[in-house]
Structure formats: C-alpha cells, structure tokens
C-alpha cells in the first residue's frame, strides 16, 4: 500500500464533526495515486512540494506548489501525487457557504497555505464549537472565498469521443497527430471533430492539446524533471519551441516559473 493510501485508509472526512479540518501527507520516492472516490465534504488539495494532478467529472486539474485544487462535496475524483511530494488536504463541511460550486484551481496566498499547514498539525480530538480550532478555520475559509481561480485546467467533456482522445493524449502526450488523423481514428469527419472540440471545450483542438501539455509539463517539472526531458516527453522538436509555448501560456519560461513557485511556497 502506498503512503498516500496508507495515510488516508483510516481517514473518513465525513465522520469528522468539524466545519473544516486538515491533514498532511508525504509521498516517498514513488509516485502515488488515490483512485476515484467521493465524500460529502468539499476538499482543497494543497501542493507543498512536488505536484498533484486531480481528475474529476469534467476535467483534469493541476496543482503546482503554491496552488490548490478545490473539489466540491459528492464529486468523484482521484489524486495523483508526484514522487517525494508533500500535500495538505483541507476538508470543508457542505454547510459552509461561499465556496466554489465547481472544481477549480485556486492561486493560494502564503497566509492560507501556512494556516492550513498549522491546522494539519492539530491532533485529532472531539469537536468543541467556538474553539480556537474553529476560529482558525473561519479565518482560512474567509480567505479561500477571496482566492483567484487559476487556469490550470483541462476540460474533458462527457462526450465519449473526446474522453477517448483525452485519455489517449494523457497516456501518450507526445502524440502529434493532426485533427484529420484523430478524426480518422474515431470515424468522424475532420470538420465535425473540430467543431465538437470547440463546442464542448471552448478551445480549438490545438489549444486543448496545448493545455494538456502545460498541465503535464508542470507536473513533471515540479517533480524535478529537467526542461529538456519534459520537452522530449511532450514531443517538441526543440527545447526552445517548448519554452516558447510555455512562456506564451503562463508568461514565464518553465525553469523560472517553477523556481518562483517554489520560492513563493518557501520550499
């Protein structure tokens, strides 16, 4: 059993009678994944070191250090943590108002991250209303309501054709097949497939695939992989082409982006 499974095997968040509580998890030298599951409580997955990729109904969300993925209650989801990763999970009761009703990536402040880490260090004990723990939870929940939604999301519609293509690209991100080639594989005309992608994701096929590349690149870069190896993994003809794509999407070259995220988080 992986450390992720072992850490969560005895934890049922729905049995904890608190408006919000946190748990800290460290993944050792191997990557770990918690299969699809759900609970009544909402969940914020906070990356402290390494990266986390969350899959849920409607898409794929990436959590680089300094960010978090919010998953509302009763939503099926899975969490994939890179090797040597550290995460905090903040569970929030469904009665707490004002939080997003859809899955999203949130850009977290250092204050929010530190409070959640502080909450995760609390020993488990019976809930005492209006206790110090409750007041700390109220602060972090109020701050979360102010957090900005980040763009580290790949929409994966319910359409079976696009789900099939998305799964294939996740497994083989270096696949550079054209829209025409994908259309042939799924027995669809090129125009019909292109229109389907735009209608269900609000992106062109090329932009949709690029968004997947950004998410996978961040996951691998934050786990310690080099820019060269990630560029190769994604099938770019040159490192400079990969860096240009990354910079156009996120405003900074990959090495600088990851370094600033780690510095911001204090890693």
């Amino acid at each position: 059993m992986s450390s992720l499974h072992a850490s969560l095997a005895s934890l049922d968040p729905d049995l904890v009678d608190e408006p919000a509580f946190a748990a800290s998890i460290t993944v050792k030298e191997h990557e770990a994944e918690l299969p699809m599951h759900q609970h009544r409580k909402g969940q914020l997955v906070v990356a402290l070191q390494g990266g986390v990729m969350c899959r849920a109904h409607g898409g794929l969300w990436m959590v680089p250090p300094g960010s978090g993925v919010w998953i509302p209650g009763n939503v099926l989801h899975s969490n994939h943590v890179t090797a040597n990763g550290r995460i905090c999970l903040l569970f929030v009761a469904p009665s707490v108002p004002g939080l997003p009703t859809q899955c999203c990536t949130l850009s977290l402040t250092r204050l929010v991250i530190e409070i959640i880490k502080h909450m995760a260090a609390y020993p488990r004990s019976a809930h005492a209303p209006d206790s110090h723990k409750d007041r700390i939870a109220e602060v972090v929940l109020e701050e979360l309501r102010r957090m900005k939604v980040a763009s580290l999301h790949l929409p994966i519609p319910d359409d079976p054709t696009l789900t099939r293509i998305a799964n294939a690209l996740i497994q083989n991100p270096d696949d550079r097949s054209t829209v025409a080639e994908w259309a042939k594989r799924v027995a669809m005309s090129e125009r019909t497939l292109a229109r389907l992608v735009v209608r269900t994701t609000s992106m062109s096929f090329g932009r949709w695939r690029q968004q997947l590349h950004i998410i996978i690149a961040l996951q691998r870069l934050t786990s310690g992989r080099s820019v060269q190896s990630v560029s190769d993994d994604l099938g770019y003809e040159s490192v400079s082409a990969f860096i240009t794509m990354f910079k156009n999407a996120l405003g900074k070259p990959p090495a600088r982006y990851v370094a600033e995220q780690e510095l911001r988080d204090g890693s």
Side-chain angles (χ1 to χ4, degrees):
M1 180 180 289
S2 73
S3 58
L4 183 60
H5 287 78
S7 299
L8 296 178
S10 60
L11 175 62
D12 183 345
D14 291 338
L15 297 180
V16 179
D17 184 25
E18 297 179 32
F21 76 97
S24 179
I25 296 169
T26 298
V27 172
K28 301 301 182 182
E29 63 273 11
H30 301 294
E31 297 187 4
E33 182 165 6
L34 193 65
M36 284 288 186
H37 63 288
Q38 67 183 60
H39 29 74
R40 287 191 307 107
K41 280 186 168 67
Q43 173 182 286
L44 181 71
V45 184
V46 182
L48 303 178
Q49 178 178 303
V52 184
M53 195 158 59
C54 298
R55 188 161 190 172
H57 176 73
L60 195 70
W61 286 262
M62 175 65 199
V63 197
S67 296
V69 166
W70 170 252
I71 303 168
N74 296 316
V75 173
L76 276 170
H77 60 280
S78 66
N79 300 321
H80 182 102
V81 186
T82 58
N84 301 310
R86 290 191 297 118
I87 65 173
C88 273
L89 302 175
L90 178 73
F91 296 100
V92 182
S95 59
V96 173
L99 295 174
T101 58
Q102 303 291 330
C103 293
C104 59
T105 304
L106 298 176
S107 296
L108 303 178
T109 63
R110 181 68 180 271
L111 173 64
V112 167
I113 293 172
E114 289 301 318
I115 293 176
I116 293 173
K117 287 166 63 177
H118 178 72
M119 293 174 65
Y122 277 125
R124 295 268 67 82
S125 60
H127 178 224
D130 200 33
S131 63
H132 174 68
K133 289 170 64 175
D134 269 11
R135 291 192 292 274
I136 290 293
E138 288 174 5
V139 171
V140 78
L141 292 172
E142 181 58 32
E143 288 297 311
L144 282 179
R145 296 183 183 104
R146 301 168 179 265
M147 296 298 99
K148 294 181 179 179
V149 175
S151 60
L152 302 177
H153 166 227
L154 177 76
I156 303 178
D158 288 335
D159 183 90
T161 297
L162 294 190
T163 298
R164 174 184 168 187
I165 294 173
N167 287 336
L169 288 173
I170 290 168
Q171 292 298 317
N172 299 287
D174 61 340
D175 188 335
R176 289 291 178 166
S177 300
T178 64
V179 177
E181 289 168 335
W182 275 111
K184 187 175 181 179
R185 291 185 203 176
V186 299
M188 188 178 287
S189 74
E190 178 181 354
R191 178 176 294 184
T192 299
L193 177 58
R195 287 177 174 174
L196 176 64
V197 175
V198 172
R199 186 175 73 250
T200 56
T201 70
S202 300
M203 300 178 184
S204 67
F205 183 85
R207 179 68 185 85
W208 187 53
R209 178 164 53 190
Q210 178 183 296
Q211 187 74 355
L212 173 64
H213 283 177
I214 290 293
I215 291 172
I216 292 176
L218 281 170
Q219 182 195 40
R220 298 184 182 183
L221 289 166
T222 54
S223 69
R225 297 281 296 278
S226 69
V227 173
Q228 173 73 65
S229 67
V230 173
S231 173
D232 292 342
D233 289 348
L234 299 181
Y236 283 83
E237 294 182 357
S238 67
V239 176
S240 60
F242 167 66
I243 292 174
T244 298
M245 180 280 295
F246 192 101
K247 185 175 180 180
N248 287 341
L250 295 182
K252 299 171 186 176
R256 180 181 168 190
Y257 183 94
V258 173
E260 288 185 1
Q261 288 292 317
E262 291 176 347
L263 181 63
R264 177 174 175 264
D265 185 53
S267 299

